[in-house]
């Protein structure tokens, strides 16, 4: 469904030769971007629980009757046929029953966007989205006093963009929900579901279903676990890795370097390195400028014969030099910067906004994330006997590698226990791939939810069950100094280049709403972070629930900002009868206005605001909708 207008037919309409069109409820017939007034408390802000608004209303449009009086025999026949046809249509509509909803808030970001803004970073040019539902009351048009967003922090270079204040806001995603699916079968784990909020049955919510009836679910270290009868924990993961891949969160995109950071002396995050353990090295890795060479224009890293290490891999590694707010303050003041590598945390650009000009932005980045992905392109110029292309992801004392042989196309998965012997590789699995010969390939290597996944040229490589492993709380759940530089790429016996390098992380499900004190600062010091987590992890990052029969447990994908089953007051689960249906398609993300920055766009409507007397008036300083616009086809997609 690629339109926000439904075409419905009723029995009486067919008999009367009339057509009925359905427009979304929160749209007027004059302007499809303007909400109807609803019976909400106008002083109440939009909630992060993500109540979804049904868009099911009707408006009839009569057609002109045909000229000429038909024959009586034909009229009777057409009437009978119309009645039969109407019953068939009614049955089909019941079979494939669907309803449209609008997402108002961001508790399911990045899977689903609520009211938000699009931003192109002023410093690095990276495009990202940030939530803006906190600006308005629940009808989406009336501003809450002193709630305007003044800045938004870029997830790529961490610059706080002041242009966020004037950026145009957009309504949340409009989605289709299959209501009949749960009438025939039961909801499945990891479905995105719409349900009646257990504490207010008049409100529809949308979350991801993670726990089934009768299960005991635990949350810790960002992962979801099911507790078995013997007390063992089984990690919960998506069965299909392709579905897992679409909900990964960006950490760094190398195609968008920041010139201001470079001029201030900030190091490039990717660099050719040698293992030397010299002073100033990062986890034993020191820069080797004569190995991999960066082409600034194409953002590609080239390895030639002259730069190769003989009979050993030549490494290109990512160092997580993520700037902090203090970094940008130093640059603004023309003071020296102090680059320090950090642990990758659960930073989410959708949430990092500033609503008060008197304080700086807060990242709400508290917990180390070890489940990472690396994706990019490789161009192979020349291969020799024994050639090998290696991709490495570290997670604490466990290092996971994928060796690709360009002579045979074979892929090997291995694990290194760095705490025991960093030079010994433990074989896990092998498979055949299309990675063969010279030429270009794309790759995506993931270590998520205790499973290694590899895509070559966008094809998932089947390693079978051997790609799954089991970590424990004693081994692999705490960061190590190697996690300052958690991603590596190496070539041996071959020359070529890599480009389009992106690092992503998995969703980190928090165990509570309690913050790790100074968590953002502790990510600079792995020893201090380990100590703080060992002392307080059970208090701040642990949750367990026993799900009653015929009930389910749900969470939001935007874990830091989702008030879901973890935090409800009267119940923590959703009864079976409360389910409305399964969300399956974004049929109308926000339209893209044309000419807003250049001044050619036409303002169609404005926000409203409260006066000091409590009256609601038009705020002509803050446009709500612009025209002309075109559909956002790129985000029309299935919901995974």
């Amino acid at each position: 469904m690629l339109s926000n207008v439904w075409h419905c037919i009723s029995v009486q309409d067919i008999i009367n030769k009339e057509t009925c069109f359905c427009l979304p409820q929160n749209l007027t017939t004059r302007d499809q971007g303007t909400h109807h007034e609803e019976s909400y408390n106008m002083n109440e802000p939009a909630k992060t629980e993500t109540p979804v608004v049904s868009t099911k209303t009707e408006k009839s449009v009569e057609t002109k009757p045909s000229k000429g009086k038909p024959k009586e025999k034909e009229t009777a026949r057409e009437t009978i046929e119309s009645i039969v046809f109407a019953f068939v249509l009614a049955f089909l509509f019941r079979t494939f029953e669907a309803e449209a909803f609008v997402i108002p808030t961001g508790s399911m970001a990045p899977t689903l966007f609520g009211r938000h803004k699009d931003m192109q970073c002023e410093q690095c040019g990276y495009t990202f989205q940030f939530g803006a539902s906190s600006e308005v009351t629940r009808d989406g048009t009336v501003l809450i006093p002193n709630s305007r967003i003044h800045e938004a922090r870029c997830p790529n270079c961490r610059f706080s963009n002041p242009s966020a204040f004037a950026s145009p806001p957009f309504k949340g995603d409009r989605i289709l929900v299959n209501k009949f699916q749960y009438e025939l079968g039961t909801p499945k784990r990891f479905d995105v579901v719409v349900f009646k909020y257990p504490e207010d049955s008049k409100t529809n919510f949308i979350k991801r279903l993670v726990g089934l009836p009768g299960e005991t679910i635990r949350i810790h270290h960002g992962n979801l676990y099911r507790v078995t009868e013997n007390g063992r924990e089984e990690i919960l993961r998506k069965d299909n890795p392709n579905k897992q891949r679409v909900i990964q969160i960006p950490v760094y995109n190398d195609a968008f370097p920041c010139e201001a950071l470079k001029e201030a002396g900030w190091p490039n995050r990717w660099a050719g390195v040698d293992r030397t353990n010299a002073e100033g090295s990062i986890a034993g890795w020191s820069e080797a400028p004569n190995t991999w060479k960066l082409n600034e224009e194409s953002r590609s890293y080239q390895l030639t014969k002259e730069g190769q290490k003989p009979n050993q891999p030549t490494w290109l590694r990512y160092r997580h030099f993520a700037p902090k707010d203090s970094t940008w303050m130093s640059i603004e003041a023309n003071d020296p910067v102090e680059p320090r590598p950090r642990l990758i945390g659960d930073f989410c650009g959708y949430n990092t906004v500033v609503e008060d000009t008197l304080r700086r932005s807060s990242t709400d980045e508290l917990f180390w994330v070890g489940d990472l992905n690396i994706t990019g392109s490789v161009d192979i110029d020349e291969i020799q006997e024994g050639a090998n292309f290696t991709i490495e992801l570290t997670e604490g004392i466990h290092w996971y590698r994928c060796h690709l042989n360009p002579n045979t196309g074979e892929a090997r998965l291995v694990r290194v226990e760095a705490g025991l012997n960093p030079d010994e590789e433990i074989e896990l699995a092998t498979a055949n791939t299309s990675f063969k010969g010279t030429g270009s390939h794309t790759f995506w290597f993931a270590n998520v939810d205790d499973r290694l996944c590899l895509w070559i040229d966008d094809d998932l490589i089947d390693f079978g069950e051997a790609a799954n492993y089991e970590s424990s709380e004693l081994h692999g759940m705490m960061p190590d100094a190697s996690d300052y530089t958690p991603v590596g790429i190496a070539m041996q016996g071959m020359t070529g280049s890599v480009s389009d390098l992106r690092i992503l992380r998995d969703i980190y499900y928090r165990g509570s709403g309690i913050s790790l004190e100074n968590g953002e600062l502790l990510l600079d010091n792995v020893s201090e972070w380990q100590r703080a987590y060992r002392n307080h992890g059970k208090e701040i990052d642990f949750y367990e629930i026993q799900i009653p029969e015929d009930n389910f447990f749900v969470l939001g994908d935007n874990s830091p900002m989702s008030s879901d089953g973890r935090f409800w007051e009267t119940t923590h689960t959703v009864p079976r009868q409360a389910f409305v249906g399964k969300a399956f398609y974004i049929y109308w993300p926000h339209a893209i206005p044309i000419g807003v920055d250049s001044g050619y766009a036409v303002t169609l409507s404005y926000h409203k605001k409260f006066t000091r007397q409590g009256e609601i008036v038009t705020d002509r300083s803050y446009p709500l909708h612009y025209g002309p616009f075109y559909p956002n086809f790129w985000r029309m997609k299935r919901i995974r």
Side-chain angles (χ1 to χ4, degrees), residues 219-448:
I219 304 174
H220 60 83
H221 294 88
N223 295 322
L224 303 173
Y225 298 89
R226 176 180 54 215
V227 182
T228 63
E229 293 182 358
N230 60 10
R232 289 185 63 255
E233 290 182 343
E234 293 181 352
I235 196 166
L236 299 177
R237 62 170 75 96
K238 286 180 175 291
D239 293 333
N240 185 348
N242 289 309
K243 293 182 179 180
Q244 162 196 300
R245 189 164 67 148
V246 299
I247 61 172
Q248 301 302 289
I249 299 173
V251 172
Y252 180 68
N253 188 329
D254 192 62
F256 297 91
C258 179
E259 194 64 29
L261 287 171
K262 179 182 176 182
E263 292 176 357
W266 200 260
N268 195 61
R269 298 201 202 182
W270 286 93
V273 293
D274 279 337
R275 183 174 288 281
T276 64
N277 291 312
E279 184 177 354
S281 64
I282 301 172
W285 295 99
S286 301
E287 287 197 20
N290 295 323
T291 55
W292 291 85
K293 298 290 186 179
L294 169 62
N295 183 321
E296 292 277 6
E297 184 176 350
S298 63
R299 296 302 298 179
S300 63
Y301 298 84
Q302 181 80 31
L303 181 64
T304 63
K305 287 184 177 180
E306 292 74 21
Q308 282 184 333
K309 298 291 181 181
N311 303 317
Q312 60 178 302
T314 305
W315 284 95
L316 173 74
R317 296 199 72 88
Y318 172 81
R319 295 88 48 84
H320 192 53
F321 283 111
K324 296 187 295 186
D325 198 50
S326 58
T327 305
W328 285 106
M329 293 176 68
S330 296
I331 292 175
E332 292 172 6
N334 291 319
D335 292 335
V337 295
E338 298 180 1
R340 292 188 62 180
R342 315 180 67 220
L343 299 173
I344 291 178
D346 60 342
F347 179 95
C348 183
Y350 193 90
N351 303 331
T352 53
V353 298
V354 178
E355 297 176 353
D356 186 347
T357 55
L358 298 179
R359 64 178 178 87
R360 306 294 294 190
S361 63
S362 172
T363 66
D364 195 34
E365 181 183 22
L366 303 177
F367 298 101
W368 165 66
V369 182
D371 286 7
L372 301 179
N373 306 246
I374 171 64
T375 177
S377 301
V378 56
D379 291 305
I380 303 173
D381 298 330
E382 183 180 345
I383 56 176
Q384 304 167 7
E385 186 177 352
N388 189 51
F389 181 76
T390 301
I391 315 168
E392 180 182 88
L393 295 172
T394 72
E395 185 177 14
I397 62 172
H398 302 291
W399 304 348
Y400 299 96
R401 293 173 183 165
C402 176
H403 293 301
L404 289 156
N405 187 333
N407 287 304
T408 64
E410 182 186 62
R412 291 191 303 119
L413 299 181
V414 301
R415 183 178 75 245
V416 175
E417 299 291 348
L420 299 176
N421 185 352
D423 298 320
E424 180 183 353
E425 294 185 340
I426 302 171
E427 196 87 15
L428 298 178
T430 61
N432 293 320
T433 75
S434 61
F435 193 91
K436 192 173 182 179
T438 59
S440 300
H441 299 278
T442 62
F443 60 89
W444 184 309
F445 185 43
N447 172 29
V448 173

